[in-house]
Amino acid sequence: MLRTRGGETSSTTTLGREARSPRPAHAGRILRTLGTLCLVGALVVAGYLGWLLWGTGIGTAREQHQLRQQIDTLIAHPNTRDTQSHRPVAPIPEGAPVGILQIQRLHLDMVVVNGTSAADLRRGPGHY
């Protein structure tokens, strides 16, 4: 409602436009932008967690398949060991398979690699 000079009141709709404060529209834009940024942030976090849970597991499974072939070859042909001391002739390189870890109750069957660096642990459990 607007007041005229004579004290009369007139409706804002009779003037052809509504008198609105610009603040609520500005606050609405800010809240909409903030909500959009929160949704995008949530999608980024969900994607990262999905990668940690499933993406790295796919890479580890690939590496475990290759390691399983290598350890099976070493088990089938154990001629690289000294027959008297039963120790390897040469030091085992980092990232090379050294054994198989099986825990039936956990359904775990993985090849253990020599070393504990980040690259070695991406391949499987490490031997220190």
Side-chain angles (χ1 to χ4, degrees), residues 34-82:
L34 184 63
T36 303
L37 288 175
C38 286
L39 285 174
V40 169
L43 289 174
V44 168
V45 169
Y48 179 69
L49 289 176
W51 169 253
L52 286 178
L53 292 174
W54 295 291
T56 56
I58 292 169
T60 301
R62 237 184 255 142
E63 292 288 337
Q64 281 288 308
H65 180 71
Q66 292 173 354
L67 289 169
R68 180 66 65 162
Q69 291 174 345
Q70 291 175 7
I71 196 79
D72 286 343
T73 304
L74 287 173
I75 291 171
H77 306 291
N79 57 1
T80 58
R81 298 183 179 275
D82 186 6

